[in-house]
Amino acid sequence: MALGLSTPLPEKFQHHNGPTVMDAFRTPRLLTREVLAGLVVALALIPEAIAFSLIAGVDPRVGLFSSFVMAVTIAFVGGRPAMITAATGAVALVIAPVARDYGMDYFIATVILAGVLQIVLASLGVARLMRFIPRSVMVGFVNSLAILIFAAQLPQLVGVPWLVYPLVAVGILIMVALPRITKVVPAPLVAIVVLTAVTVTMAVGVPTIGDQGELPESLPSLLIPNVPLTAETLAIIAPYALAMALVGILESLLTAKLVDDITDTHSRKTRETFGQGVANVMSGLFGGMGGCAMIGQTMINVKASGARTRISTFLAGVFLIVLVVGFGPAVAVIPMAALVAVMIMVSVGTFDWHSIQPATLRRMPRSETIVMLITVVVVVFTHNLAIGVITGVVAAMVAFARRVAHLADVERSVVIDDDGTATAYYTVTGELFFASSNDLYTLFEYADDPDTVVIDMTDSHVWDASTVAALDGITTKYGRRHKTVQITGLNEHSASMHGRLAGNLGADH
């Protein structure tokens, strides 16, 4: 479903990296789109930042300051234009125990250390590990994200005045219908303005942004956490900082990959990882709670509003602080129903509906569908994207190993020479690693074979020590029966591994 996706870019901007910041400054229509997208995202960020602050157990201002600092910072140092980085629920859940058990100074120190760790991981090239995340896990990530975005709106729809429901319905109707009439102004912004005007002029008593928490009245200031620089402090904050760093990198890189697919452009994953670290360090130094890329707000920016450059990301942070500090009373009256409507449309647009169509499920290998479902279930159950994705990757690896394990095959023949000497020939084909080599051991006729056995490995490849151990076991078992084994046809890599490890693995079958 289209979420008010803007008109196609002019052909001159449809190169592999999309329009640049300078393209936008030279083209009023593009610049207008970026500015309005930044405004819509800023409005959507306010209640989210407040809610995530409450999850982390800190003052709402901590989340708002963090979102401002991170959005502005990542606009300059990030590797994925138009992606929104701010305070997030995943990060809040990870570091909430620090604020609760040790206080704000330790909390801020954890955020700064997490940023430093992300910078170190970026320099080690951790972003390259993204290639090991299969498509089925990506689909599961996207679908579970859509479910979480929708589920996050339910508290705003339960136990509220009945007028909230027609307001949400009107907001959704505006976002569905308006793009068919005009795409000049982002539909989510129109929905927010219209619903706010209705609730204010008619004095309708519904929950507003102001009800979510106190808005700050001043800009953030530099803050150095007052913690002792000792090994004990490091022992307290390091586990939380590492978990935060890994969750932030994983969520940010998956979101970047999603934006790459939507915009048909490429992002610089290592630079994005580095940028996330810098943004978290800056966030901590200004008293923020840290964060990572935000899938919901990024979808509003890229898919619903059509933004493509760093301008929208930068302005999202600027508008956020201007709105909460300079126009706090006006922002406070925006009904939550308007933002709930925007997020419901984002969840519908984020979900990969094609992945659950009966025709798709019939064509897709069953193991791929199971991996996708495992990812969705674990993410939704734990509310932790990192745990879900890692579980999905492990499930995909197991499924792959099971499939490949059955590709190894052994054929046996017995040849009798002119002098009456019999020789058993085994031809091994396929890829041999820990899963397939376990079956290899059982495919030989140890009792029935003649005294000479030749194992031809010309059409196979030895990948690991498990296979060498299996070959050792086969040789040993024949040896106990006083039969000799010759292994022939090993390619260069396989021969090198076999020569290095054979007889040195302690395997005795």
Side-chain angles (χ1 to χ4, degrees):
M1 182 181 294
L3 302 187
L5 194 63
S6 5
T7 48
L9 293 170
E11 190 173 339
K12 64 180 178 179
F13 298 137
Q14 293 181 352
H15 45 75
H16 71 286
N17 280 326
T20 65
V21 171
M22 292 312 298
D23 289 335
F25 279 126
R26 286 193 293 261
T27 312
R29 184 168 66 83
L30 285 182
L31 186 59
T32 302
R33 178 195 295 179
E34 297 293 317
V35 172
L36 293 176
L39 180 58
V40 174
V41 171
L43 290 169
L45 275 174
I46 295 169
E48 296 264 312
I50 293 171
F52 296 147
S53 299
L54 300 178
I55 290 173
V58 296
D59 189 277
R61 283 170 286 201
V62 174
L64 290 166
F65 286 161
S66 185
S67 296
F68 158 64
V69 173
M70 293 196 75
V72 169
T73 303
I74 206 72
F76 292 97
V77 298
R80 173 64 260 178
M83 191 164 77
I84 304 299
T85 291
T88 56
V91 166
L93 285 169
V94 169
I95 58 173
V98 182
R100 182 183 68 237
D101 299 338
Y102 301 102
M104 273 306 294
D105 283 310
Y106 281 87
F107 182 85
I108 298 300
T110 304
V111 173
I112 294 172
L113 179 59
V116 171
L117 289 174
Q118 287 177 326
I119 293 171
V120 172
L121 290 170
S123 66
L124 295 174
V126 74
R128 288 194 291 271
L129 296 176
M130 278 296 294
R131 72 185 69 172
F132 295 109
I133 298 181
R135 182 188 175 279
S136 53
V137 176
M138 273 298 298
V139 172
F141 167 78
V142 169
N143 290 347
S144 58
L145 226 34
I147 294 168
L148 287 183
I149 291 170
F150 181 81
Q153 311 315 309
L154 295 180
Q156 301 295 338
L157 296 171
V158 177
V160 293
W162 67 270
L163 282 169
V164 167
Y165 305 114
L167 286 172
V168 171
V170 169
I172 292 173
L173 187 62
I174 290 171
M175 283 180 281
V176 172
L178 185 63
R180 302 181 184 186
I181 302 168
T182 178
K183 296 178 181 177
V184 174
V185 181
L189 180 59
V190 175
I192 291 169
V193 171
V194 169
L195 294 188
T196 303
V198 168
T199 55
V200 170
T201 55
M202 298 180 66
V204 176
V206 292
T208 63
I209 286 180
D211 298 331
Q212 302 301 303
E214 183 184 353
L215 299 177
E217 297 175 353
S218 62
L219 293 171
S221 55
L222 197 62
L223 174 69
I224 305 297
N226 182 24
V227 295
L229 299 175
T230 62
E232 185 182 357
T233 300
L234 187 63
I236 291 170
I237 66 174
Y240 296 104
L242 181 60
M244 175 182 164
L246 294 175
V247 167
I249 289 173
L250 190 57
E251 194 161 340
S252 298
L253 293 183
L254 286 171
T255 305
K257 191 171 188 299
L258 192 59
V259 177
D260 289 352
D261 293 340
I262 291 170
T263 61
D264 290 325
T265 58
H266 301 292
S267 58
R268 295 159 64 184
K269 304 295 192 301
T270 297
R271 176 174 169 179
E272 181 60 39
T273 306
F274 172 82
Q276 291 291 329
V278 174
N280 272 313
V281 171
M282 294 297 292
S283 169
L285 291 176
F286 282 94
M289 60 183 278
C292 60
M294 299 190 76
I295 183 71
Q297 275 64 24
T298 298
M299 289 300 101
I300 292 175
N301 197 43
V302 174
K303 212 167 185 180
S305 304
R308 292 292 182 271
T309 76
R310 299 174 186 274
I311 296 173
S312 57
T313 306
F314 175 76
L315 289 180
V318 172
F319 281 139
L320 170 65
I321 203 70
V322 168
L323 287 169
V324 297
V325 174
F327 299 91
V331 171
V333 300
I334 295 174
M336 288 301 297
L339 298 168
V340 168
V342 171
M343 297 309 289
I344 287 175
M345 286 298 291
V346 167
S347 72
V348 171
T350 300
F351 197 91
D352 185 350
W353 296 101
H354 180 265
S355 68
I356 60 169
Q357 289 178 359
T360 305
L361 294 174
R362 280 196 300 271
R363 287 193 211 100
M364 196 68 65
R366 185 175 298 177
S367 60
E368 302 253 336
T369 303
I370 291 171
V371 167
M372 186 263 284
L373 290 174
I374 287 173
T375 305
V376 170
V377 169
V378 174
V379 170
V380 172
F381 181 74
T382 63
H383 281 61
N384 190 315
L385 293 163
I387 293 175
V389 169
I390 291 169
T391 305
V393 169
V394 171
M397 289 168 61
V398 171
F400 175 75
R402 281 174 58 87
R403 283 202 303 273
V404 176
H406 300 298
L407 296 179
D409 190 32
V410 176
E411 290 186 6
R412 176 181 181 266
S413 62
V414 178
V415 177
I416 300 177
D417 295 339
D418 295 337
D419 60 0
T421 304
T423 303
Y425 287 91
Y426 286 89
T427 303
V428 182
T429 57
E431 306 301 315
L432 302 176
F433 65 112
F434 61 89
S436 57
S437 60
N438 286 335
D439 291 338
L440 185 68
Y441 182 76
T442 64
L443 300 177
F444 289 79
E445 305 287 344
Y446 301 100
D448 298 335
D449 280 340
D451 291 343
T452 304
V453 177
V454 176
I455 303 175
D456 183 2
M457 308 283 287
T458 304
D459 297 323
S460 61
H461 189 103
V462 176
W463 286 106
D464 61 7
S466 296
T467 305
V468 177
L471 291 173
D472 277 358
I474 293 166
T475 305
T476 301
K477 196 160 185 177
Y478 276 117
R480 287 183 187 143
R481 297 174 182 271
H482 306 292
K483 299 176 181 181
T484 60
V485 176
Q486 296 176 9
I487 298 175
T488 64
L490 288 168
N491 60 38
E492 186 179 350
H493 176 273
S494 300
S496 172
M497 179 171 286
H498 185 262
R500 192 168 64 250
L501 298 178
N504 296 312
L505 295 172
D508 188 2
H509 294 275

